[in-house]
């Protein structure tokens, strides 16, 4: 071991001296690699924030999600009713334990007389903390008996960050009450700082027993209804039990539930998923986007490694005599390879450390993305220990990508020839040909990167130009939830009626609308329906679609066009015939080629008897969640017939909509000063944060990756052309001495420099076509090939490569014959 360390230290010292003798080579190599490593670090932080970051619990890889499979317009999830969860928890043989939880939004007051603030927390089963193996930092977790009797045990565990912010880390908070939705809860524990909940984007402020959920939400059947599937379930498999074995038991369990409870569990299958699997299912847009960005960053790293490999290869002739001398005095070839790899390792480590700084720049760009909501929903982009380890691992791995082949070539020398001329016998055409292939590969990858960047830019702005289907100017939004202060349904209806009346009376208000959700919101609404006459595939008898509960003024206020039929009316009340408005995509999906006006579908709502509703209007298909989404089925139901506690008020102004915020707040406070008001924003601000800023950030990142690849490729092409000119200086001198003109030398040299670029462009067209297919997963609305992107990128890339080859060619044309003949 000691001998190995001594040899390694000698190799390290010799490598440092060699790099110090060639500062230009070292600097270009380190910067090239830093760009590649930094790009990968930044993209990994993106994928980590969205998909890869493990749950903040011990042994997170053991945690599995379990539940009934639900599919919704490409999104899917695993959810459970409480009775199904209870039966599975008590009767399975595959899991050590299963814990259930769901989000709950409340009005939170640290003191009984304090004004409530909206907070989001988790209602969890009594075994939640033990199943996740999480110990509170102070105090205790829930006892099993505190999750047995609905509404009896009002205890709460506070999140660590909430405890720090609102209670100044006061340890005496244990045993004191806090108020949630007007109910006093006793604080029994503080969660550890490392535990941030069960989602990578949502950080809950508190944890309460599931038995308190019905009382908090005024939903008395929340723990009784077998068709009320709102709970997530996670657990750990028993030792020796595989996911496949657990899936077999779940299949049998789902079959038993269907036999016992056909009214609620017919055709309901169950599944098990890893944490990564469930995240991809829940947000399928992020998976292809992350895969695309990671692929592009790997492409940049490949270009960087090719660049460094080209530089190392170009140094081989200069080091031929050194290698020959060391071989002549008895040094083994393996020792020389080890020495060259050590030099490559020094470049890799330096490039990796500098690449971390480049990665921080990318993370800083990602942190510009904001989700426009007052809920604790955020994307956490960080260069944590996992990302740093990934960056250094990429840097070290790159040693083998760029260092091994040049090391093998450099140590394969002709001793006699090298001792006479200082060159190698293999340093001529074959080595130059290898560099030509490397530069062609660089150009090909760079073209693919630039094509993707251009495609994304054009695709994003084409989607914006096509329109989103609703207006964004002169609109102010604010959200209310009277359920947070224990309003019943009649009080809620009266509150919204008064809010609308008072808002209309405010100066500058042109129109007012109510909706359960606004377009592009992260908070979605759905409906389970059965279209009349539609034949579902075997094993399925209904479908979940995205929906919104809106009033009669919604379409006019938001500028959503009706193509046929009518809008909702004030007479569409609970006692009137049920009606609905659908978009064109929904109409064509279920009644292709026919007029959907007058058609019916059943809304599955057991509390209301699963009513049939008649379609009275059809809107244009717009954008509901993301500007580049596929055409999506969407249903509007009248809020007077299908009310929600949480609603968004949208006010149209005659002037600046932001000026309405203060008078509208005052109008609401006049009705109830304790009712929280949240998500107060103009629609223009909301749309800019949710769509424009996020899209532009992604475009900047992709364009940056394309620019990095282009710069690296041009450095490689310039280096190849300069190397070729230096190798052929004597030949050029002879040609000019026998009468060759400067123009002829310039043209010949330029053509030789452009050959790898032309081969690279041809290969780049194929790579770009593959990349374009990846892009269509991110921009699914784009179905045709984007020829314009190729027409823009190809000549631009050709012009830049021409410039990179022209400078060495021009230098070659100016060579003086006498000086050239004395060269070498």
């Amino acid at each position: 071991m000691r001998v190995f360390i001594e040899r390694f230290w000698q190799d390290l010292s010799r490598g440092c001296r060699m790099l110090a003798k060639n500062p230009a080579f070292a600097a270009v190599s380190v910067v090239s690699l830093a760009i590649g490593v930094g790009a990968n670090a930044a993209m990994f932080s993106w994928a980590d924030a969205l998909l890869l970051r493990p749950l903040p619990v011990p042994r997170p890889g053991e945690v599995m999600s379990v539940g009934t499979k639900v599919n919704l317009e490409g999104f899917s999830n695993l959810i459970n009713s409480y009775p199904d969860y209870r039966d599975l928890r008590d009767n399975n043989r595959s899991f050590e334990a299963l814990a259930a939880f769901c989000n709950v939004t409340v009005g939170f007051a640290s003191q009984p007389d304090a004004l409530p603030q909206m907070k989001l927390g988790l209602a969890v089963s009594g075994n939640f903390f033990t199943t996740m193996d999480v110990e509170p930092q102070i105090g205790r977790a829930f006892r099993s008996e505190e999750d047995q009797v609905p509404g009896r045990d009002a205890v709460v565990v506070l999140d660590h960050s909430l405890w720090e912010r609102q209670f100044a880390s006061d340890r005496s908070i244990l045993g004191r009450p806090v108020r949630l939705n007007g109910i006093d809860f006793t604080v029994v524990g503080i969660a550890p700082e490392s535990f941030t909940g069960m989602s990578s984007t949502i950080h809950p402020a508190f944890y309460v027993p599931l038995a308190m959920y019905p009382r908090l939400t005024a939903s008395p059947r929340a723990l009784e209804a077998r068709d009320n599937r709102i709970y997530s379930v996670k657990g750990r498999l028993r030792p020796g039990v595989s996911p496949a074995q657990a899936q077999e038991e779940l299949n049998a369990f789902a079959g038993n539930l269907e036999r016992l409870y056909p009214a609620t569990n017919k055709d309901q299958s169950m599944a098990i998923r890893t944490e990564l699997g469930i995240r991809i299912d829940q947000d399928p847009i992020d998976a292809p986007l992350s895969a695309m960005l990671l692929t592009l960053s790997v492409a940049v790293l490949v270009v960087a490694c090719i660049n460094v490999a080209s530089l190392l290869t170009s140094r081989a002739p200069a080091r031929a005599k050194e290698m020959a001398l060391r071989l002549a005095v008895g040094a083994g070839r393996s020792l020389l390879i080890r020495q060259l790899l050590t030099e490559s390792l020094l470049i890799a480590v330096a490039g990796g450390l500098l690449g971390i700084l480049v990665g921080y720049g990318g993370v800083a760009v990602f942190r510009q993305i904001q989700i426009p909501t007052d809920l604790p929903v955020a994307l956490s982009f960080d260069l944590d220990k996992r990302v740093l380890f990934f960056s250094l691992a990429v840097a070290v791995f790159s040693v083998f990508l760029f260092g091994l082949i040049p090391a093998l070539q450099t140590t394969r020398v002709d001793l006699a020839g090298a001792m006479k001329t200082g060159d190698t016998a293999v340093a001529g055409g074959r080595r130059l040909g290898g560099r030509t292939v490397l530069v062609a590969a660089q150009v090909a990858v760079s073209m693919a990167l630039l094509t993707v960047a251009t495609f994304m830019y054009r695709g994003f702005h084409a989607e914006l130009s096509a329109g989103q289907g609703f207006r964004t100017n002169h609109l102010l939004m604010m959200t209310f939830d009277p359920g947070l202060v224990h309003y019943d349904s009649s009080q809620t209806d009266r509150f919204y009626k008064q809010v609308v009346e008072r808002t209309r009376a405010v100066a500058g208000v042109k129109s007012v609308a109510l909706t359960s959700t606004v377009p592009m919101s992260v908070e979605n609404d759905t409906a389970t329906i059965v279209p009349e006459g539609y034949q579902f595939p075997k094993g399925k008898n209904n479908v979940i679609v995205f929906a919104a509960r809106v009033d009669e003024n919604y379409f006019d206020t938001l500028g959503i066009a009706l193509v046929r039929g009518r809008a909702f009316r004030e007479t569409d009340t609970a006692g009137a015939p049920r009606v609905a408005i659908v978009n064109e995509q929904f109409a064509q999906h279920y009644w292709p080629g026919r007029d959907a006006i007058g058609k019916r579908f059943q809304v599955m709502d057991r509390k209301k008897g699963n009513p049939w509703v008649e379609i009275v209007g059809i809107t244009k298909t717009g954008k509901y969640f993301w500007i580049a989404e596929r055409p999506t089925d969407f249903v509007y139901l009248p809020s007077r017939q299908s009310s929600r506690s949480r609603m968004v008020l949208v006010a149209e102004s005659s002037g600046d909509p932001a000026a309405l915020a203060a008078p509208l707040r005052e109008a609401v406070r006049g009705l109830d000063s304790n009712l929280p008001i949240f998500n107060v924003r103009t629609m223009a601000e909301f749309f800019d944060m949710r769509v424009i800023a996020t899209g532009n950030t992604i475009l900047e990142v992709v364009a940056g990756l394309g620019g990095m690849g282009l710069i690296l490729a041009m450095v490689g092409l310039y280096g190849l052309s300069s190397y070729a000119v230096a190798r052929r200086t004597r030949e050029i001198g002879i040609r000019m001495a026998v009468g060759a003109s400067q123009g002829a030398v310039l043209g010949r040299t330029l053509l030789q420099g452009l050959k790898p670029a032309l081969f690279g462009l041809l290969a780049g067209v194929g790579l770009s076509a593959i990349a374009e297919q990846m892009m269509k997963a991110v921009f699914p609305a784009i179905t045709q090939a984007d020829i314009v992107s190729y027409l823009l990128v190809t000549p631009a890339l050709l012009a830049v490569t021409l410039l990179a080859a022209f400078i060495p060619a021009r230098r070659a044309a100016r060579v003086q014959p006498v000086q050239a003949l004395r060269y070498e």
Side-chain angles (χ1 to χ4, degrees), residues 564-568 572 579-581 596-599 614-618:
R564 289 192 300 280
R566 67 170 177 88
F568 295 137
D572 293 324
V579 294
I581 295 172
I597 297 294
K599 297 294 190 292
E614 179 183 344
I615 297 173
V616 297
I618 299 176

Side-chain angles (χ1 to χ4, degrees), residues 92-96 236-239 241-242 245-247 249:
N92 84 87
R93 298 185 302 276
S94 298
F95 296 89
E96 290 183 339
R236 301 178 189 268
L237 292 172
R238 295 183 186 275
V241 178
S242 69
Q245 292 171 322
Q247 182 63 63
E249 184 180 22

